[in-house]
Amino acid sequence: MKDYLFQKVYDYVVHRIERREWKEHDKLPSVRQLSSEMDIHRLTILKAYQLLKQNGKVYVKDKSGYFVQPEGTENLEHFDNPIVSAYVQKNHLSEIHQSPVSYHFSQALIDPNLLPNHYFSDYVKKVFDLYPKVLATYSTVQGDTELRETLSRYFINQYKTYIHPDYLLITSGSQQAIHLIAQALIKPGDLVLFERPSYSAAIDIFRAHGAKIEAVEIHPDGYDLAEVELFLKKFKPRLFYLNPTFHNPTGYTVPAAQRKKLVELAEQYRCLLIEDDAYHDIYFGQAPPPPIYTYDTAGTVIYIRSFCKYISPGLRIAAVICQSSLMQSLITVKSLSDNGSPLLNQKIFLHYFSSLRMQQHLAKLRIALQIRKEIMEEELKATDWHWTSPIGGLNLWVKLPDQLNTEELLTKSIEHSISFVPGQVCDPLKQRSSWIRLSYSYVNEKQLREGVSKFVDVAQTLLK
Amino acid sequence: MKDYLFQKVYDYVVHRIERREWKEHDKLPSVRQLSSEMDIHRLTILKAYQLLKQNGKVYVKDKSGYFVQPEGTENLEHFDNPIVSAYVQKNHLSEIHQSPVSYHFSQALIDPNLLPNHYFSDYVKKVFDLYPKVLATYSTVQGDTELRETLSRYFINQYKTYIHPDYLLITSGSQQAIHLIAQALIKPGDLVLFERPSYSAAIDIFRAHGAKIEAVEIHPDGYDLAEVELFLKKFKPRLFYLNPTFHNPTGYTVPAAQRKKLVELAEQYRCLLIEDDAYHDIYFGQAPPPPIYTYDTAGTVIYIRSFCKYISPGLRIAAVICQSSLMQSLITVKSLSDNGSPLLNQKIFLHYFSSLRMQQHLAKLRIALQIRKEIMEEELKATDWHWTSPIGGLNLWVKLPDQLNTEELLTKSIEHSISFVPGQVCDPLKQRSSWIRLSYSYVNEKQLREGVSKFVDVAQTLLK
């Protein structure tokens, strides 16, 4: 794990000094100031300053700040001074994940120990027996036909909605699916509607493609549909990116009645719905309502379904369903992006997905995750924080006391080897927030108890 | 295999009829006319018209053309009328590959029978023994550390140039590498310099990112460096995408002396060189000169090296080398694009790459491909066509007689189950050309003799 932002800050300061824009004994910007200028977390700036000090580039005077060291003339590679600079892009969530901590409450991933690892080598062996040239062959760009046929049958069985294999595209994870959609459908200045809060990487992807962003609140009981209609009318968004089932980060689920109505509204206002469904099978009681795309009769929904997160995240397999003309464009974008996902991965997934073991695994996994969720909630009971207990997914969306600065809390928590996602990162409008996302899926039960209890202590200290 | 353009043409006609823009008994545009309007190959238009006729949407009157069938009122899904249309993108090469033929001279891929398939299951087993949770784990975005360290050592041994593993990025094939570079470094209106001809997918990728394009000729003995300098001076390109070793499509190799000089020019005019090196190990005599990036001391080159094409294309693994600040941007773009290539694929590649078997495989492969090249050349000897016999790579770049229309030849050839790549597809300036690319790597020796001989016959018929 490497901290690239850290390197960026480090290089930035070194360049300034090297070009003598900052001269001997000049004072460096404060950590807070540079953090806001570079839009990089304060802790990262601080760590870079500390290493600069260690390396003799800067020195500290009393407590008044960092200053340029005279004779800072190490043999710097001009390799770090690019001929051409890249257009800056950001991935906010991935920056937080780079912090090396023990209690990963920022990771909405499933503990590898809960995944069916030891079965997989059997399926891999089977794949090599069945398709001895699997590694010598490219998949078609759209994805392995056998896998698409299997998924087609699965969707028909599950939701009684006919999905032809030609309307299915296999992608390398759902993140790639979002990225392909943004490439095919977004030009700078196009408006994209988000839920508020929303999935941070999706916000970053659409932003990187130049989208203007608006957002409607998602509540424990779904949307305020009058508000959604107002937004559709007022902003005429090209797309509405949504995550209506065990929503990330809140865990909320949009009820069935609203799903149907939403499709009608989207059709009326000619707005594509991008339905990201990454946690569908992780429910703790009843199965969730059918996906929004099952209510679609007019090609209004692009549906992204990922299974791998709770089976084998390492395979990087997701599926996109959409109507024919958009599918053709997505396939072209996929062909330019990577020419198709690896066939081996698709075949391994296919054979596990078609096996009985998958349903058994899911049943066990739901229980294990529900227990972890309950442990987290139990440890949080000591506080006066608020959350709506989710009936599925991997996250708790928690409201902290208003006076708690979540950025400061993150810095402090990382010092105590705890990570979480501040609400601001999940806000399409990037405003400060006293909400945070805590994932209960990645660390084991013991760590969960320890970590959450520690975390509560850290927060209490800041409140004093 | 599915022909999406075909579907596009089909849908286009159906919509016109459905919306009554084309009414009963109206004459459809001629195949040639629609082909030029939609920028889609005539054969594709013809096939779509034929299916429309079969499906009772249109009828044929004598030989005067296609007409709208009355009562063309099948229950058309309004699913094909999108709420939002995608921004059109193209991948020209992939369209040609979609033609179902027996003699694939358009595929610059290696015959799966020449690849080390039966060894791979051993390496896969080894990977599962060593890393039992390989499928439960994400790779870091930059790529598996062990693989990057191994590649770093490999480059140091091969070229005596120190490449730190931090300056290496693992991508899902070299096409993804080009795509990531375009995303990080190209904004609409930026100028990209190409060789002429060049790799068709790279042209499409940079074009899709809005690049303006200029091109310098590549000759059997490399570039005219005075011309390159003129172009660098005149157009101030941001990037120069080049493929100097067993160049695709020509097979030409830029000599060592020019490589050094080119880096100096690029540095002087502040133009990044994107060196795509996909065929480096496929040489028929001496190994090629070291990559251009080995002459780079100022971070002027981004080097894309792929190995998988001649080992295990199904794994989709390539490596990008570049200096630190650009690397950070590429990693961010990669994180947004797919969050990292699958770990399993990286580990399998690592273990094969580190084995002795790889060098043995390459030695055998070179001989097999040289034989195929010679067979193709032998069969072409009957003609008065010209080409420079390549000393590596997978392709023959052949000059046909000027009076031969290569588009017409492609249509005819596909009718005879033969595909090739017309020069126009490889031309960054998209001009008509009497050059074609014939790949000798994908079909076996017997098919090669038959197919090339048939192909020569087809061409002779058109010349009569």
Side-chain angles (χ1 to χ4, degrees):
Chain A
M1 195 108 73
K2 201 175 166 306
D3 198 336
Y4 302 100
L5 285 173
F6 170 82
Q7 181 78 38
K8 189 172 165 184
V9 177
Y10 189 93
D11 289 348
Y12 175 84
V13 175
V14 166
H15 287 152
R16 287 278 173 289
I17 296 176
E18 195 188 11
R19 294 172 173 181
R20 306 201 40 79
E21 289 167 30
W22 294 347
K23 303 201 182 62
E24 296 178 3
H25 303 300
D26 276 359
K27 188 175 177 182
L28 268 60
S30 72
V31 170
R32 185 184 294 262
Q33 196 184 336
L34 194 58
S35 158
S36 122
E37 274 173 31
M38 298 185 80
D39 197 11
I40 288 177
H41 197 275
R42 271 190 266 164
L43 188 71
T44 311
I45 309 280
L46 182 68
K47 285 196 295 178
Y49 277 17
Q50 285 168 342
L51 187 65
L52 284 160
K53 184 176 157 241
Q54 255 181 43
N55 291 351
K57 310 279 182 203
V58 305
Y59 66 95
V60 177
K61 201 159 67 185
D62 309 320
K63 285 183 175 174
S64 69
Y66 292 86
F67 296 81
V68 178
Q69 182 85 38
E71 293 270 31
T73 49
E74 290 182 18
N75 185 12
L76 292 164
E77 292 183 277
H78 45 324
F79 236 56
D80 281 333
N81 183 5
I83 291 282
V84 166
S85 330
Y87 299 116
V88 177
Q89 306 214 13
K90 283 192 79 100
N91 182 338
H92 290 86
L93 202 55
S94 128
E95 290 167 22
I96 294 172
H97 295 331
Q98 280 160 25
S99 308
V101 298
S102 307
Y103 306 102
H104 282 282
F105 304 139
S106 66
Q107 296 276 23
L109 295 177
I110 291 171
D111 181 353
N113 295 310
L114 296 180
L115 296 175
N117 306 300
H118 61 288
Y119 290 132
F120 264 107
S121 56
D122 300 349
Y123 292 95
V124 174
K125 198 183 162 314
K126 191 172 165 193
V127 165
F128 274 91
D129 289 346
L130 284 169
Y131 324 93
K133 289 176 193 162
V134 65
L135 286 182
T137 324
Y138 286 101
S139 161
T140 59
V141 173
Q142 186 169 6
D144 180 52
T145 310
E146 210 184 346
L147 175 57
R148 287 187 289 116
E149 283 166 358
T150 301
L151 288 173
S152 162
R153 280 194 301 275
Y154 170 83
F155 287 120
I156 293 167
N157 284 334
Q158 287 275 327
Y159 308 117
K160 315 300 169 218
T161 308
Y162 180 68
I163 301 295
H164 192 280
D166 284 355
Y167 292 171
L168 269 157
L169 170 71
I170 305 300
T171 63
S172 295
S174 57
Q175 182 134 340
Q176 184 182 56
I178 302 169
H179 196 256
L180 295 175
I181 290 167
Q183 278 180 77
L185 293 167
I186 295 301
K187 282 252 182 301
D190 282 344
L191 199 133
V192 174
L193 189 60
F194 278 85
E195 292 155 334
R196 188 177 187 199
S198 181
Y199 174 44
S200 159
I203 302 169
D204 289 338
I205 289 170
F206 283 105
R207 219 182 268 282
H209 285 82
K212 286 193 294 184
I213 283 170
E214 290 291 342
V216 287
E217 293 288 331
I218 182 165
H219 307 283
D221 56 352
Y223 312 115
D224 173 346
L225 282 177
E227 194 191 5
V228 172
E229 180 161 10
L230 190 72
F231 275 62
L232 293 177
K233 201 182 268 176
K234 185 170 161 198
F235 297 116
K236 299 186 179 46
R238 193 170 160 80
L239 315 177
F240 179 9
Y241 170 84
L242 63 167
N243 181 207
T245 308
F246 313 133
H247 175 263
N248 178 0
T250 65
Y252 306 157
T253 292
V254 175
Q258 289 199 358
R259 292 179 181 230
K260 190 160 181 301
K261 183 75 185 132
L262 185 66
V263 171
E264 289 163 14
L265 282 176
E267 195 180 340
Q268 182 183 345
Y269 293 98
R270 303 193 74 71
C271 170
L272 262 183
L273 300 177
I274 312 298
E275 181 182 15
D276 190 354
D277 201 4
Y279 303 115
H280 197 93
D281 296 308
I282 306 299
Y283 49 85
F284 304 140
Q286 276 194 315
I292 288 184
Y293 95 91
T294 61
Y295 298 94
D296 180 20
T297 54
T300 314
V301 182
I302 299 185
Y303 181 64
I304 306 170
R305 176 68 173 264
S306 79
F307 305 90
C308 268
K309 201 156 207 164
Y310 37 84
I311 299 176
S312 52
L315 283 180
R316 316 290 298 118
I317 299 286
V320 177
I321 299 175
C322 71
Q323 49 94 344
S324 147
S325 79
L326 293 181
M327 180 52 77
Q328 290 155 41
S329 303
L330 290 181
I331 291 167
T332 305
V333 177
K334 171 84 175 155
S335 82
L336 292 174
S337 295
D338 67 5
N339 224 355
S341 294
L343 186 58
L344 173 67
N345 305 50
Q346 297 184 55
K347 290 294 192 192
I348 297 175
F349 176 71
L350 165 69
H351 285 274
Y352 184 73
F353 186 78
S354 315
S355 76
L356 278 175
R357 276 184 182 150
M358 190 177 93
Q359 291 312 322
Q360 295 162 357
H361 160 63
L362 283 178
K364 275 193 254 171
L365 181 62
R366 283 180 203 117
I367 296 169
L369 288 174
Q370 184 169 5
I371 291 171
R372 294 192 184 195
K373 181 197 81 153
E374 284 164 3
I375 291 173
M376 183 174 264
E377 291 183 314
E378 223 174 279
E379 292 298 325
L380 289 176
K381 265 187 195 145
T383 68
D384 56 352
W385 306 349
H386 302 295
W387 67 92
T388 301
S389 187
I391 52 168
L394 314 179
N395 306 306
L396 232 53
W397 180 241
V398 181
K399 169 84 178 66
L400 305 184
D402 286 328
Q403 66 270 36
L404 206 54
N405 177 330
T406 53
E407 209 186 44
E408 200 182 346
L409 177 60
L410 181 61
T411 309
K412 273 276 170 233
S413 299
I414 289 177
E415 284 170 20
H416 287 82
S417 212
I418 300 163
S419 67
F420 66 88
V421 178
Q424 194 180 348
V425 171
C426 310
D427 182 5
L429 309 179
K430 295 293 171 212
Q431 291 180 9
R432 272 176 203 280
S433 152
S434 51
W435 292 84
I436 62 169
R437 189 187 80 176
L438 292 174
S439 304
Y440 45 78
S441 53
Y442 194 70
V443 303
N444 67 33
E445 298 176 19
K446 182 166 168 293
Q447 280 181 307
L448 204 53
R449 283 199 194 281
E450 278 171 23
V452 176
S453 150
K454 266 187 149 183
F455 175 63
V456 170
D457 289 347
V458 172
Q460 304 296 6
T461 323
L462 283 179
L463 278 170
K464 266 170 203 162
Chain B
M1 193 109 72
K2 202 176 165 304
D3 198 335
Y4 302 100
L5 285 173
F6 170 82
Q7 181 77 39
K8 189 173 165 184
V9 177
Y10 189 94
D11 289 348
Y12 175 84
V13 175
V14 166
H15 287 153
R16 286 278 174 290
I17 297 175
E18 195 188 10
R19 293 172 173 180
R20 306 200 42 78
E21 291 168 29
W22 294 347
K23 302 201 183 63
E24 295 178 6
H25 305 298
D26 276 358
K27 190 175 176 182
L28 268 63
S30 73
V31 170
R32 187 184 294 262
Q33 197 185 334
L34 194 59
S35 158
S36 122
E37 273 173 32
M38 298 186 78
D39 198 12
I40 289 177
H41 198 275
R42 270 190 267 162
L43 188 72
T44 311
I45 308 280
L46 182 67
K47 285 195 294 179
Y49 277 17
Q50 285 168 343
L51 187 66
L52 284 160
K53 185 177 156 241
Q54 257 181 42
N55 291 350
K57 310 279 182 204
V58 304
Y59 66 92
V60 178
K61 200 161 63 184
D62 310 318
K63 283 182 177 174
S64 69
Y66 291 85
F67 296 81
V68 178
Q69 181 85 38
E71 295 270 31
T73 48
E74 291 180 20
N75 184 13
L76 293 163
E77 292 183 275
H78 45 323
F79 235 57
D80 281 334
N81 183 6
I83 292 282
V84 166
S85 329
Y87 300 115
V88 177
Q89 305 214 14
K90 284 190 80 96
N91 182 337
H92 290 85
L93 203 55
S94 126
E95 291 167 21
I96 295 172
H97 294 331
Q98 280 160 23
S99 309
V101 298
S102 307
Y103 306 102
H104 283 281
F105 304 139
S106 67
Q107 295 277 23
L109 296 178
I110 291 171
D111 181 355
N113 295 310
L114 296 180
L115 297 175
N117 306 301
H118 62 287
Y119 290 133
F120 263 107
S121 56
D122 300 350
Y123 291 96
V124 174
K125 199 184 162 314
K126 190 171 166 193
V127 165
F128 274 91
D129 289 347
L130 284 168
Y131 323 94
K133 289 177 194 162
V134 65
L135 286 183
T137 324
Y138 286 102
S139 160
T140 59
V141 173
Q142 186 169 6
D144 179 53
T145 309
E146 211 184 344
L147 175 57
R148 287 188 288 114
E149 283 165 358
T150 300
L151 288 173
S152 162
R153 279 193 302 274
Y154 170 84
F155 288 120
I156 293 167
N157 285 334
Q158 286 276 328
Y159 308 117
K160 314 300 169 221
T161 309
Y162 180 68
I163 302 294
H164 192 279
D166 284 353
Y167 293 172
L168 269 158
L169 170 71
I170 306 299
T171 62
S172 295
S174 56
Q175 182 133 339
Q176 185 182 55
I178 301 169
H179 196 256
L180 295 175
I181 290 167
Q183 279 180 77
L185 293 168
I186 295 301
K187 281 255 181 299
D190 282 345
L191 199 132
V192 175
L193 189 61
F194 278 86
E195 293 155 334
R196 188 178 186 198
S198 182
Y199 173 45
S200 161
I203 302 169
D204 290 337
I205 289 170
F206 282 106
R207 219 181 268 283
H209 284 83
K212 286 192 295 184
I213 283 171
E214 290 291 341
V216 287
E217 294 287 331
I218 181 164
H219 308 282
D221 56 352
Y223 311 114
D224 173 348
L225 282 177
E227 194 191 5
V228 172
E229 180 161 10
L230 190 72
F231 275 62
L232 293 176
K233 202 182 269 175
K234 186 171 160 196
F235 298 114
K236 298 185 179 45
R238 192 168 160 83
L239 314 177
F240 180 8
Y241 169 83
L242 63 168
N243 181 208
T245 308
F246 313 132
H247 174 263
N248 179 2
T250 65
Y252 306 157
T253 291
V254 175
Q258 288 198 359
R259 294 179 180 230
K260 190 161 182 300
K261 183 74 185 131
L262 184 66
V263 171
E264 289 163 14
L265 282 176
E267 195 179 342
Q268 184 183 342
Y269 293 98
R270 302 192 77 70
C271 170
L272 262 184
L273 301 177
I274 312 297
E275 181 182 16
D276 190 354
D277 201 4
Y279 303 114
H280 198 93
D281 295 308
I282 307 299
Y283 49 85
F284 304 140
Q286 276 193 315
I292 289 184
Y293 95 91
T294 60
Y295 299 94
D296 180 21
T297 54
T300 314
V301 183
I302 299 185
Y303 181 64
I304 306 170
R305 177 67 173 264
S306 79
F307 305 91
C308 270
K309 201 156 207 164
Y310 37 85
I311 299 175
S312 52
L315 283 180
R316 316 289 300 116
I317 299 287
V320 177
I321 299 175
C322 71
Q323 49 94 343
S324 148
S325 79
L326 293 181
M327 180 53 77
Q328 290 156 40
S329 303
L330 290 181
I331 291 167
T332 306
V333 176
K334 171 85 175 154
S335 81
L336 292 174
S337 295
D338 67 5
N339 225 355
S341 294
L343 186 58
L344 173 67
N345 305 50
Q346 297 185 55
K347 290 294 192 192
I348 297 175
F349 176 71
L350 165 69
H351 285 275
Y352 184 74
F353 186 79
S354 314
S355 75
L356 278 175
R357 277 184 181 150
M358 189 177 94
Q359 290 312 322
Q360 294 161 358
H361 160 64
L362 283 178
K364 276 195 253 171
L365 181 63
R366 283 179 203 117
I367 295 169
L369 288 174
Q370 183 169 6
I371 292 172
R372 294 193 183 195
K373 182 197 82 154
E374 285 164 2
I375 290 174
M376 182 174 266
E377 291 183 311
E378 223 174 278
E379 292 297 325
L380 289 176
K381 262 185 196 148
T383 68
D384 57 351
W385 305 349
H386 303 295
W387 67 92
T388 301
S389 186
I391 51 167
L394 313 180
N395 306 307
L396 232 54
W397 181 240
V398 181
K399 168 86 179 65
L400 305 184
D402 286 329
Q403 66 271 36
L404 205 55
N405 178 329
T406 53
E407 209 187 42
E408 200 182 345
L409 178 59
L410 181 61
T411 308
K412 273 275 169 236
S413 299
I414 289 176
E415 283 170 21
H416 288 83
S417 212
I418 301 162
S419 68
F420 66 88
V421 177
Q424 193 179 348
V425 171
C426 310
D427 182 6
L429 309 180
K430 294 294 170 210
Q431 292 179 8
R432 274 176 202 280
S433 152
S434 51
W435 292 85
I436 63 168
R437 188 187 80 176
L438 292 174
S439 303
Y440 45 77
S441 53
Y442 193 70
V443 302
N444 66 33
E445 299 177 19
K446 183 166 166 292
Q447 280 182 308
L448 204 52
R449 283 198 193 283
E450 278 171 23
V452 177
S453 152
K454 265 188 150 182
F455 175 64
V456 170
D457 290 346
V458 172
Q460 305 296 7
T461 323
L462 283 180
L463 277 170
K464 267 170 200 161

